[in-house]
Amino acid sequence: MRLGLGLVVLAFWQSPAAAAVPAADALWQKADYRGAFALAIEPAIRGDAHAQFLIGEAYRLGRSVDANFPLAEGWYARAARQGDVAAATELGLLLAGRHLQQAALPWLAMAAQHGEPRALCSLAALYYNGEGVAGDEPRAYALMLRAAEAGLPEAKLRLATLRTLLTPETLHRGEALTTSAIPNGTPPPLVAIAGAPTLPATPVTAPVRIQVGAYRSAAAAEQAWSQLAGRIEALRGTDHAVVQAGNFYRLQARLPDRQAAGDLRRQLQAMGWQHFTRKGTDRA
């Protein structure tokens, strides 16, 4: 019985987030995933590849949002099409981990062309097992050799395993292929990404905050919030923040998205309540 080389489990390794923007990356490294998501979502929608990668990470890992693999795939794909190697790697590994090896192949190849060791390692597994592509043992060995030379510990272990499974002739042919083993990494059409949604042009779930007033004390701001929550039913149970700015305390209502912020703005205007909209998303 042939022994399979099960390496697609690499798809679920934790990987460091690339710098979407420096501030978002700093928050991510501090495990403030909500803050990182809030800072990255608008740059991602505007087309920033690193921000798109970070949003993909959030959806893959379930950081500040519910884990959603199709959404993660969609964001990774947008970043990868702009040349983001980390996004191409994670997209390929995620698809392979979901047993969508054929869809994973071009993304892994794209990352492997840039020397990404995890992509090289997983490509080797696909070619050895014949999953999503015709089995090719010499190519599998060549790819694993390159991944091991790049320093990936898992690849070094798997390379040792391959040397016990393959014939000397196959090993020799694989060594001769090391410079030409990586297949074409041309990204497929977007519609070919299994389960990837069409993302909206504007965010529908990015948190937004509305500043509803500025007060001389935190106590006065909290009292004003109690009054507002008593008059506007939608605010009951809604989160809020009191932020000191110099000698004033800003009262801000946190809303789940722009639609909710717009609804609140109209209600405040109808009540004659002075308020200010803070540009951007919730950074708290």
Side-chain angles (χ1 to χ4, degrees), residues 176-210:
L177 283 174
T178 52
T179 59
S180 59
I182 300 173
N184 177 33
T186 302
L190 188 59
V191 294
I193 302 174
T198 300
L199 298 175
T202 56
V204 293
T205 59
V208 175
R209 59 186 176 184
I210 299 295

PDB file of all heavy atoms in Angstrom, residues 176-210:
ATOM      1  N   ALA A 176      17.776  16.742 -10.580  1.00  0.00           N
ATOM      2  CA  ALA A 176      18.005  17.437 -11.845  1.00  0.00           C
ATOM      3  C   ALA A 176      16.904  18.435 -12.165  1.00  0.00           C
ATOM      4  O   ALA A 176      17.069  19.293 -13.042  1.00  0.00           O
ATOM      5  CB  ALA A 176      18.119  16.411 -12.983  1.00  0.00           C
ATOM      6  N   LEU A 177      15.769  18.349 -11.460  1.00  0.00           N
ATOM      7  CA  LEU A 177      14.621  19.212 -11.735  1.00  0.00           C
ATOM      8  C   LEU A 177      14.527  20.416 -10.799  1.00  0.00           C
ATOM      9  O   LEU A 177      13.598  21.220 -10.935  1.00  0.00           O
ATOM     10  CB  LEU A 177      13.315  18.416 -11.605  1.00  0.00           C
ATOM     11  CG  LEU A 177      12.929  17.483 -12.750  1.00  0.00           C
ATOM     12  CD1 LEU A 177      11.691  16.688 -12.354  1.00  0.00           C
ATOM     13  CD2 LEU A 177      12.641  18.301 -14.011  1.00  0.00           C
ATOM     14  N   THR A 178      15.443  20.558  -9.879  1.00  0.00           N
ATOM     15  CA  THR A 178      15.262  21.550  -8.811  1.00  0.00           C
ATOM     16  C   THR A 178      15.095  22.976  -9.340  1.00  0.00           C
ATOM     17  O   THR A 178      14.407  23.788  -8.723  1.00  0.00           O
ATOM     18  CB  THR A 178      16.444  21.515  -7.830  1.00  0.00           C
ATOM     19  OG1 THR A 178      17.672  21.629  -8.557  1.00  0.00           O
ATOM     20  CG2 THR A 178      16.428  20.223  -7.028  1.00  0.00           C
ATOM     21  N   THR A 179      15.690  23.303 -10.469  1.00  0.00           N
ATOM     22  CA  THR A 179      15.583  24.670 -10.993  1.00  0.00           C
ATOM     23  C   THR A 179      14.371  24.866 -11.882  1.00  0.00           C
ATOM     24  O   THR A 179      14.067  26.004 -12.256  1.00  0.00           O
ATOM     25  CB  THR A 179      16.847  25.045 -11.785  1.00  0.00           C
ATOM     26  OG1 THR A 179      17.016  24.131 -12.871  1.00  0.00           O
ATOM     27  CG2 THR A 179      18.081  25.013 -10.880  1.00  0.00           C
ATOM     28  N   SER A 180      13.671  23.781 -12.223  1.00  0.00           N
ATOM     29  CA  SER A 180      12.540  23.911 -13.153  1.00  0.00           C
ATOM     30  C   SER A 180      11.294  23.184 -12.674  1.00  0.00           C
ATOM     31  O   SER A 180      10.396  22.913 -13.469  1.00  0.00           O
ATOM     32  CB  SER A 180      12.942  23.381 -14.534  1.00  0.00           C
ATOM     33  OG  SER A 180      13.329  22.011 -14.453  1.00  0.00           O
ATOM     34  N   ALA A 181      11.228  22.883 -11.386  1.00  0.00           N
ATOM     35  CA  ALA A 181      10.127  22.052 -10.879  1.00  0.00           C
ATOM     36  C   ALA A 181       8.837  22.815 -10.642  1.00  0.00           C
ATOM     37  O   ALA A 181       7.755  22.231 -10.631  1.00  0.00           O
ATOM     38  CB  ALA A 181      10.554  21.378  -9.567  1.00  0.00           C
ATOM     39  N   ILE A 182       8.935  24.134 -10.456  1.00  0.00           N
ATOM     40  CA  ILE A 182       7.741  24.903 -10.098  1.00  0.00           C
ATOM     41  C   ILE A 182       6.867  25.115 -11.334  1.00  0.00           C
ATOM     42  O   ILE A 182       7.343  25.620 -12.352  1.00  0.00           O
ATOM     43  CB  ILE A 182       8.129  26.252  -9.491  1.00  0.00           C
ATOM     44  CG1 ILE A 182       8.979  26.044  -8.229  1.00  0.00           C
ATOM     45  CG2 ILE A 182       6.871  27.065  -9.127  1.00  0.00           C
ATOM     46  CD1 ILE A 182       9.549  27.314  -7.662  1.00  0.00           C
ATOM     47  N   PRO A 183       5.582  24.755 -11.256  1.00  0.00           N
ATOM     48  CA  PRO A 183       4.686  24.942 -12.402  1.00  0.00           C
ATOM     49  C   PRO A 183       4.290  26.399 -12.571  1.00  0.00           C
ATOM     50  O   PRO A 183       4.614  27.249 -11.741  1.00  0.00           O
ATOM     51  CB  PRO A 183       3.471  24.084 -12.027  1.00  0.00           C
ATOM     52  CG  PRO A 183       3.453  24.124 -10.532  1.00  0.00           C
ATOM     53  CD  PRO A 183       4.908  24.136 -10.110  1.00  0.00           C
ATOM     54  N   ASN A 184       3.582  26.682 -13.638  1.00  0.00           N
ATOM     55  CA  ASN A 184       3.107  28.036 -13.911  1.00  0.00           C
ATOM     56  C   ASN A 184       2.168  28.493 -12.791  1.00  0.00           C
ATOM     57  O   ASN A 184       1.281  27.757 -12.364  1.00  0.00           O
ATOM     58  CB  ASN A 184       2.374  28.054 -15.254  1.00  0.00           C
ATOM     59  CG  ASN A 184       1.795  29.432 -15.564  1.00  0.00           C
ATOM     60  OD1 ASN A 184       2.386  30.436 -15.191  1.00  0.00           O
ATOM     61  ND2 ASN A 184       0.666  29.463 -16.222  1.00  0.00           N
ATOM     62  N   GLY A 185       2.339  29.727 -12.325  1.00  0.00           N
ATOM     63  CA  GLY A 185       1.511  30.241 -11.237  1.00  0.00           C
ATOM     64  C   GLY A 185       0.560  31.334 -11.653  1.00  0.00           C
ATOM     65  O   GLY A 185       0.272  32.239 -10.866  1.00  0.00           O
ATOM     66  N   THR A 186       0.059  31.286 -12.885  1.00  0.00           N
ATOM     67  CA  THR A 186      -0.878  32.306 -13.345  1.00  0.00           C
ATOM     68  C   THR A 186      -2.185  32.208 -12.572  1.00  0.00           C
ATOM     69  O   THR A 186      -2.801  31.141 -12.534  1.00  0.00           O
ATOM     70  CB  THR A 186      -1.170  32.141 -14.850  1.00  0.00           C
ATOM     71  OG1 THR A 186       0.070  32.219 -15.563  1.00  0.00           O
ATOM     72  CG2 THR A 186      -2.123  33.227 -15.334  1.00  0.00           C
ATOM     73  N   PRO A 187      -2.631  33.293 -11.921  1.00  0.00           N
ATOM     74  CA  PRO A 187      -3.885  33.227 -11.152  1.00  0.00           C
ATOM     75  C   PRO A 187      -5.071  32.900 -12.045  1.00  0.00           C
ATOM     76  O   PRO A 187      -5.161  33.398 -13.177  1.00  0.00           O
ATOM     77  CB  PRO A 187      -4.022  34.640 -10.567  1.00  0.00           C
ATOM     78  CG  PRO A 187      -2.643  35.199 -10.587  1.00  0.00           C
ATOM     79  CD  PRO A 187      -1.989  34.597 -11.808  1.00  0.00           C
ATOM     80  N   PRO A 188      -5.987  32.064 -11.581  1.00  0.00           N
ATOM     81  CA  PRO A 188      -7.174  31.732 -12.361  1.00  0.00           C
ATOM     82  C   PRO A 188      -8.168  32.870 -12.322  1.00  0.00           C
ATOM     83  O   PRO A 188      -8.026  33.804 -11.525  1.00  0.00           O
ATOM     84  CB  PRO A 188      -7.723  30.499 -11.632  1.00  0.00           C
ATOM     85  CG  PRO A 188      -7.321  30.736 -10.209  1.00  0.00           C
ATOM     86  CD  PRO A 188      -5.975  31.401 -10.273  1.00  0.00           C
ATOM     87  N   PRO A 189      -9.219  32.852 -13.164  1.00  0.00           N
ATOM     88  CA  PRO A 189     -10.268  33.870 -13.073  1.00  0.00           C
ATOM     89  C   PRO A 189     -10.877  33.866 -11.686  1.00  0.00           C
ATOM     90  O   PRO A 189     -10.956  32.832 -11.023  1.00  0.00           O
ATOM     91  CB  PRO A 189     -11.286  33.426 -14.135  1.00  0.00           C
ATOM     92  CG  PRO A 189     -10.500  32.586 -15.086  1.00  0.00           C
ATOM     93  CD  PRO A 189      -9.458  31.895 -14.249  1.00  0.00           C
ATOM     94  N   LEU A 190     -11.328  35.033 -11.237  1.00  0.00           N
ATOM     95  CA  LEU A 190     -11.857  35.159  -9.887  1.00  0.00           C
ATOM     96  C   LEU A 190     -13.010  34.200  -9.635  1.00  0.00           C
ATOM     97  O   LEU A 190     -13.156  33.657  -8.558  1.00  0.00           O
ATOM     98  CB  LEU A 190     -12.322  36.596  -9.632  1.00  0.00           C
ATOM     99  CG  LEU A 190     -12.731  36.931  -8.198  1.00  0.00           C
ATOM    100  CD1 LEU A 190     -11.588  36.705  -7.237  1.00  0.00           C
ATOM    101  CD2 LEU A 190     -13.231  38.373  -8.107  1.00  0.00           C
ATOM    102  N   VAL A 191     -13.833  33.967 -10.648  1.00  0.00           N
ATOM    103  CA  VAL A 191     -14.995  33.105 -10.454  1.00  0.00           C
ATOM    104  C   VAL A 191     -14.602  31.664 -10.197  1.00  0.00           C
ATOM    105  O   VAL A 191     -15.412  30.872  -9.744  1.00  0.00           O
ATOM    106  CB  VAL A 191     -15.925  33.160 -11.688  1.00  0.00           C
ATOM    107  CG1 VAL A 191     -16.521  34.539 -11.835  1.00  0.00           C
ATOM    108  CG2 VAL A 191     -15.172  32.748 -12.953  1.00  0.00           C
ATOM    109  N   ALA A 192     -13.333  31.328 -10.476  1.00  0.00           N
ATOM    110  CA  ALA A 192     -12.904  29.944 -10.291  1.00  0.00           C
ATOM    111  C   ALA A 192     -12.550  29.634  -8.846  1.00  0.00           C
ATOM    112  O   ALA A 192     -12.301  28.504  -8.505  1.00  0.00           O
ATOM    113  CB  ALA A 192     -11.704  29.640 -11.189  1.00  0.00           C
ATOM    114  N   ILE A 193     -12.513  30.653  -7.982  1.00  0.00           N
ATOM    115  CA  ILE A 193     -12.174  30.417  -6.586  1.00  0.00           C
ATOM    116  C   ILE A 193     -13.400  29.871  -5.881  1.00  0.00           C
ATOM    117  O   ILE A 193     -14.412  30.548  -5.766  1.00  0.00           O
ATOM    118  CB  ILE A 193     -11.721  31.711  -5.896  1.00  0.00           C
ATOM    119  CG1 ILE A 193     -10.521  32.285  -6.650  1.00  0.00           C
ATOM    120  CG2 ILE A 193     -11.361  31.459  -4.449  1.00  0.00           C
ATOM    121  CD1 ILE A 193     -10.094  33.622  -6.126  1.00  0.00           C
ATOM    122  N   ALA A 194     -13.321  28.647  -5.442  1.00  0.00           N
ATOM    123  CA  ALA A 194     -14.486  27.985  -4.858  1.00  0.00           C
ATOM    124  C   ALA A 194     -14.991  28.730  -3.633  1.00  0.00           C
ATOM    125  O   ALA A 194     -14.257  28.975  -2.694  1.00  0.00           O
ATOM    126  CB  ALA A 194     -14.146  26.544  -4.485  1.00  0.00           C
ATOM    127  N   GLY A 195     -16.260  29.093  -3.674  1.00  0.00           N
ATOM    128  CA  GLY A 195     -16.911  29.699  -2.520  1.00  0.00           C
ATOM    129  C   GLY A 195     -16.585  31.149  -2.271  1.00  0.00           C
ATOM    130  O   GLY A 195     -17.089  31.744  -1.330  1.00  0.00           O
ATOM    131  N   ALA A 196     -15.728  31.771  -3.091  1.00  0.00           N
ATOM    132  CA  ALA A 196     -15.359  33.157  -2.837  1.00  0.00           C
ATOM    133  C   ALA A 196     -16.505  34.082  -3.214  1.00  0.00           C
ATOM    134  O   ALA A 196     -17.033  33.988  -4.312  1.00  0.00           O
ATOM    135  CB  ALA A 196     -14.111  33.524  -3.648  1.00  0.00           C
ATOM    136  N   PRO A 197     -16.917  34.964  -2.317  1.00  0.00           N
ATOM    137  CA  PRO A 197     -18.036  35.851  -2.614  1.00  0.00           C
ATOM    138  C   PRO A 197     -17.600  37.054  -3.430  1.00  0.00           C
ATOM    139  O   PRO A 197     -16.409  37.346  -3.545  1.00  0.00           O
ATOM    140  CB  PRO A 197     -18.477  36.300  -1.223  1.00  0.00           C
ATOM    141  CG  PRO A 197     -17.196  36.336  -0.460  1.00  0.00           C
ATOM    142  CD  PRO A 197     -16.367  35.180  -0.994  1.00  0.00           C
ATOM    143  N   THR A 198     -18.549  37.765  -4.005  1.00  0.00           N
ATOM    144  CA  THR A 198     -18.287  39.049  -4.611  1.00  0.00           C
ATOM    145  C   THR A 198     -18.358  40.083  -3.509  1.00  0.00           C
ATOM    146  O   THR A 198     -19.392  40.269  -2.880  1.00  0.00           O
ATOM    147  CB  THR A 198     -19.328  39.368  -5.697  1.00  0.00           C
ATOM    148  OG1 THR A 198     -19.266  38.353  -6.700  1.00  0.00           O
ATOM    149  CG2 THR A 198     -19.052  40.724  -6.324  1.00  0.00           C
ATOM    150  N   LEU A 199     -17.243  40.744  -3.242  1.00  0.00           N
ATOM    151  CA  LEU A 199     -17.183  41.655  -2.111  1.00  0.00           C
ATOM    152  C   LEU A 199     -17.801  42.994  -2.481  1.00  0.00           C
ATOM    153  O   LEU A 199     -17.702  43.445  -3.608  1.00  0.00           O
ATOM    154  CB  LEU A 199     -15.722  41.852  -1.696  1.00  0.00           C
ATOM    155  CG  LEU A 199     -15.032  40.586  -1.230  1.00  0.00           C
ATOM    156  CD1 LEU A 199     -13.568  40.878  -0.977  1.00  0.00           C
ATOM    157  CD2 LEU A 199     -15.686  40.048   0.027  1.00  0.00           C
ATOM    158  N   PRO A 200     -18.442  43.656  -1.524  1.00  0.00           N
ATOM    159  CA  PRO A 200     -19.082  44.933  -1.809  1.00  0.00           C
ATOM    160  C   PRO A 200     -18.070  46.038  -2.044  1.00  0.00           C
ATOM    161  O   PRO A 200     -16.933  45.960  -1.602  1.00  0.00           O
ATOM    162  CB  PRO A 200     -19.885  45.205  -0.534  1.00  0.00           C
ATOM    163  CG  PRO A 200     -19.134  44.480   0.535  1.00  0.00           C
ATOM    164  CD  PRO A 200     -18.601  43.232  -0.135  1.00  0.00           C
ATOM    165  N   ALA A 201     -18.486  47.072  -2.746  1.00  0.00           N
ATOM    166  CA  ALA A 201     -17.597  48.204  -3.011  1.00  0.00           C
ATOM    167  C   ALA A 201     -17.365  49.024  -1.755  1.00  0.00           C
ATOM    168  O   ALA A 201     -16.365  49.701  -1.616  1.00  0.00           O
ATOM    169  CB  ALA A 201     -18.191  49.083  -4.108  1.00  0.00           C
ATOM    170  N   THR A 202     -18.294  49.004  -0.810  1.00  0.00           N
ATOM    171  CA  THR A 202     -18.153  49.729   0.443  1.00  0.00           C
ATOM    172  C   THR A 202     -18.382  48.766   1.591  1.00  0.00           C
ATOM    173  O   THR A 202     -19.105  47.783   1.444  1.00  0.00           O
ATOM    174  CB  THR A 202     -19.193  50.867   0.535  1.00  0.00           C
ATOM    175  OG1 THR A 202     -20.498  50.314   0.382  1.00  0.00           O
ATOM    176  CG2 THR A 202     -18.954  51.898  -0.536  1.00  0.00           C
ATOM    177  N   PRO A 203     -17.775  48.999   2.729  1.00  0.00           N
ATOM    178  CA  PRO A 203     -17.930  48.068   3.839  1.00  0.00           C
ATOM    179  C   PRO A 203     -19.340  48.066   4.378  1.00  0.00           C
ATOM    180  O   PRO A 203     -19.975  49.105   4.483  1.00  0.00           O
ATOM    181  CB  PRO A 203     -16.941  48.608   4.883  1.00  0.00           C
ATOM    182  CG  PRO A 203     -16.805  50.053   4.546  1.00  0.00           C
ATOM    183  CD  PRO A 203     -16.942  50.146   3.066  1.00  0.00           C
ATOM    184  N   VAL A 204     -19.835  46.879   4.700  1.00  0.00           N
ATOM    185  CA  VAL A 204     -21.166  46.787   5.284  1.00  0.00           C
ATOM    186  C   VAL A 204     -21.090  46.352   6.737  1.00  0.00           C
ATOM    187  O   VAL A 204     -22.066  46.436   7.459  1.00  0.00           O
ATOM    188  CB  VAL A 204     -22.040  45.785   4.493  1.00  0.00           C
ATOM    189  CG1 VAL A 204     -22.324  46.322   3.119  1.00  0.00           C
ATOM    190  CG2 VAL A 204     -21.378  44.421   4.427  1.00  0.00           C
ATOM    191  N   THR A 205     -19.930  45.899   7.183  1.00  0.00           N
ATOM    192  CA  THR A 205     -19.811  45.431   8.560  1.00  0.00           C
ATOM    193  C   THR A 205     -18.702  46.128   9.331  1.00  0.00           C
ATOM    194  O   THR A 205     -18.414  45.746  10.450  1.00  0.00           O
ATOM    195  CB  THR A 205     -19.560  43.914   8.584  1.00  0.00           C
ATOM    196  OG1 THR A 205     -18.361  43.629   7.857  1.00  0.00           O
ATOM    197  CG2 THR A 205     -20.709  43.152   7.962  1.00  0.00           C
ATOM    198  N   ALA A 206     -18.062  47.127   8.722  1.00  0.00           N
ATOM    199  CA  ALA A 206     -17.004  47.828   9.439  1.00  0.00           C
ATOM    200  C   ALA A 206     -17.612  48.720  10.512  1.00  0.00           C
ATOM    201  O   ALA A 206     -18.514  49.499  10.227  1.00  0.00           O
ATOM    202  CB  ALA A 206     -16.190  48.680   8.468  1.00  0.00           C
ATOM    203  N   PRO A 207     -17.164  48.608  11.769  1.00  0.00           N
ATOM    204  CA  PRO A 207     -17.729  49.434  12.827  1.00  0.00           C
ATOM    205  C   PRO A 207     -17.455  50.917  12.595  1.00  0.00           C
ATOM    206  O   PRO A 207     -16.413  51.304  12.092  1.00  0.00           O
ATOM    207  CB  PRO A 207     -17.036  48.913  14.089  1.00  0.00           C
ATOM    208  CG  PRO A 207     -15.790  48.266  13.597  1.00  0.00           C
ATOM    209  CD  PRO A 207     -16.114  47.718  12.245  1.00  0.00           C
ATOM    210  N   VAL A 208     -18.405  51.746  12.966  1.00  0.00           N
ATOM    211  CA  VAL A 208     -18.326  53.193  12.793  1.00  0.00           C
ATOM    212  C   VAL A 208     -18.696  53.837  14.112  1.00  0.00           C
ATOM    213  O   VAL A 208     -19.505  53.296  14.866  1.00  0.00           O
ATOM    214  CB  VAL A 208     -19.290  53.664  11.680  1.00  0.00           C
ATOM    215  CG1 VAL A 208     -19.306  55.183  11.568  1.00  0.00           C
ATOM    216  CG2 VAL A 208     -18.886  53.048  10.346  1.00  0.00           C
ATOM    217  N   ARG A 209     -18.114  54.985  14.415  1.00  0.00           N
ATOM    218  CA  ARG A 209     -18.520  55.671  15.634  1.00  0.00           C
ATOM    219  C   ARG A 209     -18.971  57.096  15.320  1.00  0.00           C
ATOM    220  O   ARG A 209     -18.412  57.768  14.456  1.00  0.00           O
ATOM    221  CB  ARG A 209     -17.433  55.656  16.687  1.00  0.00           C
ATOM    222  CG  ARG A 209     -16.112  56.288  16.316  1.00  0.00           C
ATOM    223  CD  ARG A 209     -15.099  56.048  17.424  1.00  0.00           C
ATOM    224  NE  ARG A 209     -13.783  56.560  17.091  1.00  0.00           N
ATOM    225  CZ  ARG A 209     -12.729  56.398  17.859  1.00  0.00           C
ATOM    226  NH1 ARG A 209     -12.827  55.731  18.978  1.00  0.00           N
ATOM    227  NH2 ARG A 209     -11.558  56.894  17.505  1.00  0.00           N
ATOM    228  N   ILE A 210     -19.984  57.535  16.027  1.00  0.00           N
ATOM    229  CA  ILE A 210     -20.555  58.857  15.885  1.00  0.00           C
ATOM    230  C   ILE A 210     -20.297  59.631  17.168  1.00  0.00           C
ATOM    231  O   ILE A 210     -20.622  59.153  18.265  1.00  0.00           O
ATOM    232  CB  ILE A 210     -22.080  58.777  15.648  1.00  0.00           C
ATOM    233  CG1 ILE A 210     -22.383  58.010  14.370  1.00  0.00           C
ATOM    234  CG2 ILE A 210     -22.685  60.170  15.590  1.00  0.00           C
ATOM    235  CD1 ILE A 210     -21.899  58.681  13.117  1.00  0.00           C
TER     236      ILE A 210
END
